């Protein structure tokens, strides 16, 4: 099987994908209390690979930087033991806040539309259209004190 | 074969063009509109799909540079702390606008007389009043009569719901004794003119799939087209041509296949907004107009105004509207007029922005440091989800000649047409007003029960109001077009978009842009027999 992902014009290698999943999981880990997957979950990562095309170079730079920061240890970032990985991730965020911001932005865009995540937030996993949503009209008596006010626009 | 000559050639098919074309159509003149973008399909709007928030970062980004559609042109806004937001297509910026639809106030047309700064307009509120009313009807404005911050006006249909967010903040304003009122909105709360009512999709700024939001492609344009106006899409204008009598003869444009054409016309109307219009004028250089067309005043591209925005958001303990409902809700004009004691002149409107979707909640939380990486992420996220509401403060921007649209030396669009370059500085007056707005916004959020407040001022991506770069006036040395939109220099050339604004007021501009376009069209109709005198 090919080592390449078809999802992007400029695909990530298997090693890069492992690093991406590892850093995503550090950013947003799975949580059994809320019944949510981590951002490194396979379905979420597949979505991430689909949208990272526009920021491809920044992602490659981020993953390369993670590997460089890991080089004293086992080699690849994904191969580090969890405490070392967390420590490298922290150093990465301090050193390359710009690249970390790109990673965060893309990860949030796919994580917070995942069915399981939305279900845990009591949100129906669907597009807004065509059902839409309900918004209460509200208590219009709140407006009474303002209605009582004299016109105050500036006369010219 | 003789070249085809149309009576009126409109360039751009956005908010102003739509209103002007609709009004002129009754003359039965031959009217053609050239638009660089295409028609939008409601089924393509992001709220049809699960990735609706994500697409605000790609093909529905408000930034043309980020969106990068073939129908967009690049804008160099590196030299501006506020970045340009627009949309290029039939409907123009209204495809993405929020639909806040306030009128100017009478004092907004008399800034110099009232406060000794800026300029007075050559027209006043009463000149525009009938056109505001006609525009409200065409647009289908929702709202509530009786706002003490305005002269009397009658919205066409009931206001948008207050919802939980609106009630929260209304209580906050009441606690401080400050004005608030349901916002005038270009969002239908009842079926109207073939459009359906709002169903609270929550994605107004990436196009309304329901058709409740009054974007000009579904309000004015269908009426104008039925009355005979022709809209040619994917046609990008590079320059306006002139003859030896200093009259416009038409425009050069590229069609969707990259073929160049010259469309001849008796009258040319520019409606490409406060950036696109000066760009075309500055690109229309000839021996008779070496500094760009209609530029004897030297003011084409100068006096660019944006409206610096402050965003002030609160986090609450209880559930609010979150992802549901249009952003529009209520507004406050407590601080609209000048009070020198505040340390700045003129004023601003607070507009409540209701809530945000799950992705934007995460963005706000993570980029403001309120949601961490790691195990605590989820609990922190849940403290924000559906619990954020707040407001923006829309600050009046004053005209300053050093804030400009010029042509970039190297950047061009896909047709090789020089792209616009923005040079803009935030004035001290704006800075003072922004910090005052943040302080008052924080106060009202606290009064409404917010447990935490965060702000951004100016909003970096918030250059969505583009005004002032071909302003109107009676004095040809101090203005580009006269008091009814005709160029002082080229007597069959008109401008009807936000470029003609003299000052910016402290409210969103589109209601006034469209009322002005109706007024300019009316002025043309009144003078058809001697339009060029
Ligand atoms: C995200 C966002 C939110 C907004 N929210 C609000 C709001 O709540 N309330 C409000 O009042 N306003 C809002 N606005 C602003 C509003 O959209 C504009 O004020 C309004 O659309 C301006 O009208 P216009 O006719 O001046 O120009 P536009 O509507 O921008 O139309 C200009 C048209 O000209 C076309 N054009 C430009 N150059 C060329 C060329 N060379 N050849 C051919 N065609 C060309 C463009 O493609 C475009 O379609 C918002 C805008 C954005 C982007």
């Amino acid at each position: 099987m090919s080592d390449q992902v078809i999802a992007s014009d400029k695909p990530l290698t298997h090693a890069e994908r492992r690093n991406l999943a590892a850093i995503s999981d550090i950013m947003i880990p799975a949580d059994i209390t809320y019944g949510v997957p981590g951002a490194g979950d396979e379905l979420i990562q597949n979505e991430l690979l689909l949208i990272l095309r526009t920021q491809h170079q920044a992602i490659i730079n981020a993953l390369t930087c993670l590997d460089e920061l890991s080089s004293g240890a086992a080699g690849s970032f994904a191969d580090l033991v969890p405490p070392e990985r967390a420590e490298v991730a922290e150093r990465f965020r301090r050193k390359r806040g710009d690249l970390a911001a790109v990673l965060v932005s893309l990860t949030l865009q796919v994580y917070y539309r995942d069915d399981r995540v939305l279900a845990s937030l009591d949100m129906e996993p669907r597009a807004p259209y065509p059902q839409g949503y309900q918004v209460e009209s509200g208590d219009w008596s709140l407006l009474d004190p303002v209605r009582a006010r004299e016109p105050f626009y500036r006369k010219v | 074969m003789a070249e085809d000559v149309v009576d009126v050639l409109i360039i751009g098919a956005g908010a102003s063009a739509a209103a002007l074309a609709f009004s002129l159509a009754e003359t039965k003149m031959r009217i053609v509109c050239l638009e660089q973008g295409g028609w939008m399909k409601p089924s393509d709007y992001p709220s049809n799909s699960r990735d609706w928030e994500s697409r605000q970062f790609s093909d529905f980004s408000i930034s043309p540079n980020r969106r990068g559609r073939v129908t967009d042109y690049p804008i160099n806004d590196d030299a501006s702390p506020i970045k340009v937001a627009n949309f290029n297509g039939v409907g123009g910026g209204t495809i993405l606008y929020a639909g806040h639809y306030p009128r100017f106030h009478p004092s907004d047309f008399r800034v110099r007389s009232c406060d000794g700064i800026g300029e007075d307009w050559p027209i006043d509120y009463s000149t525009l009043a009938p056109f505001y009313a006609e525009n409200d009807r065409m647009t289908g404005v929702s709202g509530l009569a009786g706002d003490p911050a305005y002269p009397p006006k009658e919205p066409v249909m009931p206001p948008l719901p207050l919802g939980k967010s609106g009630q929260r903040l209304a209580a906050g304003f009441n606690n401080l004794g400050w004005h608030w009122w349901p916002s005038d909105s270009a969002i239908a709360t009842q079926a109207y003119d073939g459009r359906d009512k709002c169903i609270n999709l929550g994605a107004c700024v990436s196009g309304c799939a329901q058709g409740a939001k009054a974007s000009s492609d579904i309000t004015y344009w269908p009426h104008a087209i039925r009355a005979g106006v022709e809209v040619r899409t994917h046609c990008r204008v590079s320059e306006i041509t002139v003859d030896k009598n200093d009259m416009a003869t038409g425009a050069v444009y590229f069609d969707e296949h990259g073929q160049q054409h010259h469309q001849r016309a008796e009258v040319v109307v520019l409606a490409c907004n406060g950036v696109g219009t000066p760009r075309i004028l500055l690109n229309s250089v000839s021996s008779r107009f070496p500094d760009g067309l209609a530029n004897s005043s030297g003011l084409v591209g100068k006096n660019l105004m944006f409206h610096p925005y402050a965003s002030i958001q609160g986090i609450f303990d209880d559930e609010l509207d979150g992802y549901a409902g249009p952003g529009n809700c209520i507004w406050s004009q407590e601080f609209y007029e000048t009070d020198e004691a505040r340390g700045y002149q003129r004023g601003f409107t607070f507009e409540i922005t209701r809530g945000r979707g799950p992705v934007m909640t995460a963005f706000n939380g993570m980029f403001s440091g309120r949601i961490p990486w790691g195990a605590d992420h989820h609990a922190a996220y849940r403290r924000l989800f559906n619990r954020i509401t707040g407001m923006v403060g829309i600050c009046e921007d004053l005209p300053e000649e050093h804030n400009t649209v010029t042509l970039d030396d190297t950047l061009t669009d896909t047709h090789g047409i020089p792209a616009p370059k923005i040079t803009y500085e935030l004035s001290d007056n704006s800075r003072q007003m922004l910090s005052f707005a943040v302080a008052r916004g924080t106060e009202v959020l606290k009064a409404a029960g917010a447990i935490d407040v965060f702000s951004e001022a100016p909003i970096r991506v918030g250059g969505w109001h583009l005004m002032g770069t071909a302003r109107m006036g009676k004095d040809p040395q101090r203005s580009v077009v006269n008091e009814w939109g005709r160029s002082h220099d080229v007597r069959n050339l008109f401008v009807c978009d936000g470029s003609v604004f003299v000052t910016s007021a402290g409210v969103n501009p589109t209601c006034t842009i469209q009322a002005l376009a109706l007024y300019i069209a009316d002025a043309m109709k009144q003078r058809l027999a001697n339009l060029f005198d």
Side-chain angles (χ1 to χ4, degrees), chain B residues 396-455:
Chain B
E396 174 157 353
D397 207 355
L398 289 164
E400 294 177 297
E401 285 191 19
H402 58 84
N403 290 332
T404 57
V405 177
T406 52
L407 297 178
D408 195 85
D409 287 339
T410 51
L411 189 68
T412 60
D413 64 24
T414 48
H415 294 102
I417 307 168
K421 176 181 177 190
I422 309 295
T423 308
Y424 178 93
E425 258 177 46
L426 212 52
S427 67
D428 283 343
N429 198 63
S430 294
R431 282 179 209 284
Q432 299 283 347
M433 202 184 315
L434 284 166
S435 25
F436 183 88
V438 169
R440 297 294 79 72
T442 304
E443 223 174 306
V444 76
L445 285 167
K446 296 257 168 75
I451 49 172
D452 188 7
V453 174
F454 58 99
S455 62

Side-chain angles (χ1 to χ4, degrees), chain B residues 11-17 34-37 62 71 73 85-102 205 235-238 271-274 276-277 279-280 309 328 351 417 464-466 496-499 508-511 513:
Chain B
I11 306 172
S16 57
L34 300 175
E35 164 58 50
Q36 66 189 339
I62 62 174
T71 46
Y73 58 96
N86 69 9
F87 194 80
N88 298 308
V90 179
T94 66
I95 297 297
L96 301 187
Y97 79 160
H100 267 118
Y101 218 64
V205 287
C235 294
R236 176 173 286 149
V237 170
S238 56
C272 292
N273 79 33
T277 286
R279 176 196 186 204
I280 292 180
Y309 264 63
N328 296 7
E351 283 175 352
I417 307 168
W464 30 59
H465 300 159
L466 311 169
C496 74
D497 59 53
S499 313
N508 320 61
T510 309
C511 172
I513 289 175

Side-chain angles (χ1 to χ4, degrees), chain B residues 355-380:
Chain B
R356 61 213 62 221
V359 171
M360 288 316 295
T361 303
F363 263 70
N364 284 160
M366 288 197 82
F367 289 114
S368 70
R370 286 171 176 77
I371 301 177
W373 286 47
D376 295 334
H377 176 95
H378 301 285

Side-chain angles (χ1 to χ4, degrees), chain A residues 142, chain B residues 162-171 321 329-330 352 354:
Chain A
L142 280 163
Chain B
L162 287 175
K164 294 190 176 81
S165 303
Q167 290 176 98
R168 260 300 170 147
L169 292 177
D321 295 329
C329 183
I330 63 173
I352 303 320
R354 206 181 290 271

